[in-house]
Amino acid sequence: MSFTRPFNPLDAAAEIETALPVVKHRKVTARLWRHSQARIGMILGILLLCFVIIGPIIYPHDPAKPDYGNKLAPPGSQHILGTDQSGRDQLARLMEGGMRSLGSALLVLGSVSSAGLVIGLIAGMSGGWFDALAMRLVDVMMALPGMVMAIAVVGVLGPGFINLLVALVISSWAYYARLTRSYVLTARQRQDVISARLAGIGWGRVIFTHILPGVLTQLIVIVTLNLGSMIAWISGLSFLGLGVQPPKAEWGAMLSGSRFYFTFAPWLLLGPAILIFLSVISANLIGNALRDILDPKANE
Amino acid sequence: MNSNQHYERVEIVKIIFQRLLQMFLTLLGASLIIWALLPLAPGDPAMRILQSLGVTEPTQHEVETKREELGLNQPYHMQYIQWLGRLVQGDFSESYQNGKPVLEELGRRLPDTFRLASLSLVLTIFFSISLALICTAFHNQWPDHLILFLTQIGASTPSFLIGVLTLQFVVVKLGVGKVLSQGDVKMILLPALCLSVNRSSNWSQLLRAGLLEAVNAKYSLVATARGARKLRLLFKYALPNAMLPFLTVIGLGIGGIIGGSAIIEAIFTWPGIGSFVFKAITARDYPVVQGFVIIAGASYVLASTLVDITSTLLDPRIREGGQL
């Protein structure tokens, strides 16, 4: 990687202090816990994670095993939340489906933020043609609504869970790249980075010790803020049959399947609906609190 | 003074011109991306079109002729230019499902989408402004807390969830309205309301923050000192100032009208272009999907440009190039 943007320490030092306050991560967790809304969100989130991760280990029923003699059974002692249209245990399916809904939302956001981080970092450090090209692409991607872009990609690749995830990654990386790039550009002018460079420390080490921690803090805030809407998108598009395909469990797909049995078995609809709502609100509560805590403007 | 005004006008024209140029480039870039996506589709395009025409097992010769006809043997940049040329002339190619022109098929469904989405937008604007005003008037009292709590819940409920629950509990259980709305004008209120819950929650929180900032600003203090009453302060000073950034939000909402209501349309079987495009995705009808993406994307870009220009013209601070 060649960094062609000229570096002038005198110019840079003349810049006003633009450094964001360095926030200690331990302190953030403590402050999040003291924030009452964030606490509700975190407790909810931990409970939901336990439900989808530990739940299947404790709960004995197989989510995929149909029992056609026992279809649409109401909640009872044998099947706690009853059975669905094929006689599969609803609670076990909710646990398995949650793993897919929540896991894929985290996976998409993880890939999106890493892609954005790499592209933004290279663009911000190297400048030149790569920077210009990447940022024009970012401009165009951000000028189109995410939903429309996601429909464009799923429409071309065809319905399917992996295709849906790919579509969501393609339609939402741009913001992360722009955020990283602008952070890198400001950080290059910062006192600590300039001092480190003047002390003869190479760019590689400066990036890891002075730039990346700050970028990551910002990206984590954005990821948490977007987590709720990502869960909603994945379950919403699966609900429409564009994501997870029928025999597999996923909250949105389960919601869609249960619609036709609503008059006999309304509980089938409520389970996924409540879990989707709780996941989104948990993510939103944490995200909003995190933004309040880490936003330098709000701290003043 | 006179030369100053002249200078200002030139500046505004320059800004508008730059913004239009930028829009043109964005549209060009977007068209390139949309065009470049299509080859990702599995299978040979010539084969697909032949199969959609009813030729199940085309011969090598037929495929080759079709490829030549579609211009697939030409270099990529020529293919793009030809595709763009047809697009500009309004030729969005034909639907694989019934062979009719895509633009005609989408255009037929556009009025229904427009009716639903614009009603929902009006409801959203009405709800968010009134909720935000109540919140600001009763800041930190129980109406404020109640509305904040409710909008927090509303903002965390995806609109498809509200749609499904409303359809099942209100329509199926209580028997209000019909399950298959089929574009019946009397049935428009429920989907429009479902569509506006999530957005009015978000928007009212945004506007509330703006109003509170305006109420606490120095000009509000001056107005109060000069004897303005609370209501006058709210409507005459705070609202216009808070509305300016909010207009951008509304403008982007208008831009998102096509495409924004897609999921609710599918749930309520509203015959707009949203439910149509989801059927097209499942049927692998690429021309329809592409046509939808082009129309929805272009209208969004167009609207955001207009919003940008309007806010430049409305805001004296931006107009005079001052600092915000």
Side-chain angles (χ1 to χ4, degrees):
Chain A
M1 203 194 298
S2 67
F3 302 127
T4 51
R5 185 166 280 151
F7 180 74
N8 185 345
L10 284 178
D11 267 359
E15 287 276 324
I16 321 159
E17 182 81 78
T18 45
L20 289 171
V22 181
V23 193
K24 297 267 186 315
H25 287 275
R26 213 169 13 169
K27 222 168 101 192
V28 171
T29 327
R31 283 170 72 182
L32 261 185
W33 190 251
R34 255 178 287 151
H35 195 290
S36 63
Q37 291 192 358
R39 190 161 58 218
I40 298 172
M42 282 159 85
I43 293 173
L44 256 178
I46 292 168
L47 287 179
L48 283 165
L49 285 180
C50 288
F51 178 73
V52 302
I53 296 170
I54 305 177
I57 304 170
I58 308 173
Y59 195 64
H61 288 281
D62 178 3
K65 203 180 115 215
D67 175 4
Y68 292 107
N70 199 10
K71 282 193 281 192
L72 300 173
S77 55
Q78 204 199 344
H79 298 284
I80 296 177
L81 287 181
T83 59
D84 71 353
Q85 59 271 26
S86 307
R88 292 168 295 198
D89 185 86
Q90 178 74 357
L91 184 59
R93 275 175 70 74
L94 282 175
M95 290 168 176
E96 197 211 354
M99 194 66 202
R100 222 167 255 131
S101 301
L102 301 181
S104 59
L106 288 171
L107 184 72
V108 168
L109 285 173
S111 339
V112 162
S113 49
S114 335
L117 180 70
V118 171
I119 294 171
L121 200 61
I122 298 177
M125 292 306 292
S126 66
W129 66 268
F130 181 84
D131 187 27
L133 191 69
M135 286 309 117
R136 290 299 79 74
L137 192 58
V138 164
D139 283 342
V140 173
M141 296 296 287
M142 284 183 65
L144 296 170
M147 185 70 177
V148 170
M149 209 54 223
I151 286 179
V153 182
V154 172
V156 165
L157 295 177
F161 194 39
I162 304 292
N163 292 351
L164 174 65
L165 300 189
V166 170
L168 290 174
V169 171
I170 292 180
S171 58
S172 44
W173 62 274
Y175 183 71
Y176 294 81
R178 174 176 284 179
L179 188 81
T180 307
R181 175 180 175 270
S182 64
Y183 186 91
V184 169
L185 289 187
T186 341
R188 285 169 63 110
Q189 312 282 315
R190 232 165 47 195
Q191 302 276 334
D192 58 326
V193 173
I194 293 162
S195 318
R197 283 292 292 152
L198 287 174
I201 299 170
W203 267 123
R205 224 179 116 192
V206 170
I207 288 175
F208 272 97
T209 48
H210 291 266
I211 298 181
L212 268 187
V215 177
L216 288 178
T217 313
Q218 301 227 326
L219 287 186
I220 286 169
V221 177
I222 304 298
V223 163
T224 331
L225 279 171
N226 284 347
L227 182 59
S229 56
M230 192 52 80
I231 296 170
W233 277 33
I234 289 174
S235 50
L237 290 169
S238 291
F239 172 86
L240 290 171
L242 302 185
V244 175
Q245 299 300 311
K248 288 194 184 127
E250 193 276 343
W251 291 343
M254 289 170 72
L255 197 66
S256 174
S258 68
R259 277 185 299 168
F260 309 108
Y261 308 95
F262 178 72
T263 26
F264 328 107
W267 60 87
L268 287 180
L269 185 98
L270 285 177
I274 291 172
L275 285 170
I276 292 172
F277 168 70
L278 289 179
S279 318
V280 177
I281 203 166
S282 151
N284 284 355
L285 286 173
I286 302 173
N288 289 340
L290 207 55
R291 184 190 49 197
D292 291 348
I293 291 172
L294 292 178
D295 186 4
K297 245 194 297 181
N299 274 341
E300 275 164 17
Chain B
M1 192 64 206
N2 206 1
S3 72
N4 241 350
Q5 271 176 354
H6 174 72
Y7 179 70
E8 194 179 284
R9 209 164 294 147
V10 170
E11 274 295 292
I12 292 175
V13 170
K14 210 174 113 192
I15 290 174
I16 292 176
F17 184 74
Q18 277 175 347
R19 199 61 192 80
L20 287 175
L21 186 72
Q22 199 188 338
M23 178 190 87
F24 179 73
L25 291 177
T26 307
L27 284 175
L28 210 60
S31 74
L32 189 61
I33 291 179
I34 292 168
W35 172 79
L37 276 177
L38 201 58
L40 289 178
D44 180 44
M47 198 77 140
R48 267 198 316 260
I49 291 176
L50 282 173
Q51 279 167 349
S52 81
L53 292 173
V55 190
T56 38
E57 272 180 43
T59 60
Q60 191 66 36
H61 178 68
E62 278 176 320
V63 174
E64 212 38 60
T65 332
K66 197 74 198 171
R67 284 185 69 84
E68 196 60 50
E69 193 187 312
L70 292 170
L72 289 172
N73 296 333
Q74 289 175 348
Y76 284 121
H77 63 272
M78 281 309 290
Q79 287 188 35
Y80 170 67
I81 291 170
Q82 283 174 357
W83 175 82
L84 195 63
R86 283 197 299 271
L87 215 63
V88 172
Q89 288 165 22
D91 176 10
F92 282 47
S93 125
E94 286 82 35
S95 159
Y96 288 172
Q97 291 171 93
N98 54 17
K100 285 186 187 154
V102 168
L103 201 59
E104 196 182 287
E105 287 283 282
L106 290 173
R108 201 149 53 82
R109 289 165 173 87
L110 212 53
D112 270 318
T113 291
F114 199 71
R115 258 195 290 274
L116 175 63
S118 49
L119 177 64
S120 126
L121 193 69
V122 170
L123 289 173
T124 308
I125 294 170
F126 171 74
F127 286 141
S128 39
I129 292 182
S130 31
L131 289 177
L133 278 174
I134 296 173
C135 278
T136 321
F138 297 97
H139 182 46
N140 270 340
Q141 292 163 32
W142 69 263
D144 186 25
H145 294 304
L146 181 70
I147 290 173
L148 268 187
F149 178 72
L150 290 178
T151 50
Q152 182 69 262
I153 290 181
S156 297
T157 320
S159 53
F160 80 93
L161 204 58
I162 299 175
V164 178
L165 294 177
T166 313
L167 191 68
Q168 301 300 343
F169 283 98
V170 179
V171 180
V172 176
K173 202 131 200 174
L174 300 179
V176 180
K178 279 182 275 184
V179 178
L180 301 173
S181 65
Q182 303 291 7
D184 189 345
V185 184
K186 281 175 283 178
M187 297 291 96
I188 201 173
L189 199 60
L190 272 183
L193 274 174
C194 291
L195 201 54
S196 66
V197 171
N198 187 273
R199 219 160 32 177
S200 13
S201 301
N202 282 319
W203 286 12
S204 64
Q205 286 181 354
L206 276 177
L207 188 59
R208 174 183 174 272
L211 277 173
L212 283 178
E213 203 182 297
V215 165
N216 292 324
K218 280 195 181 118
Y219 55 79
S220 296
L221 189 67
V222 172
T224 318
R226 291 176 62 192
R229 289 185 192 283
K230 201 172 170 186
L231 268 183
R232 186 182 154 80
L233 180 76
L234 211 53
F235 280 96
K236 181 115 195 284
Y237 297 91
L239 195 57
N241 274 292
M243 274 310 274
L244 199 58
F246 191 61
L247 280 183
T248 313
V249 178
I250 294 179
L252 294 181
I254 294 174
I257 265 189
I258 302 170
S261 59
I263 292 189
I264 287 289
E265 279 181 17
I267 291 171
F268 283 88
T269 55
W270 188 260
I273 81 174
S275 51
F276 183 57
V277 80
F278 285 124
K279 266 185 225 135
I281 294 177
T282 323
R284 307 242 166 179
D285 192 346
Y286 302 114
V288 168
V289 177
Q290 202 176 51
F292 168 83
V293 172
I294 290 165
I295 292 179
S299 57
Y300 189 78
V301 173
L302 210 67
S304 53
T305 307
L306 285 180
V307 167
D308 237 34
I309 292 175
T310 322
S311 61
T312 313
L313 295 179
L314 281 179
D315 191 339
R317 292 172 298 186
I318 299 181
R319 198 165 54 213
E320 281 160 19
Q323 293 279 307
L324 282 179

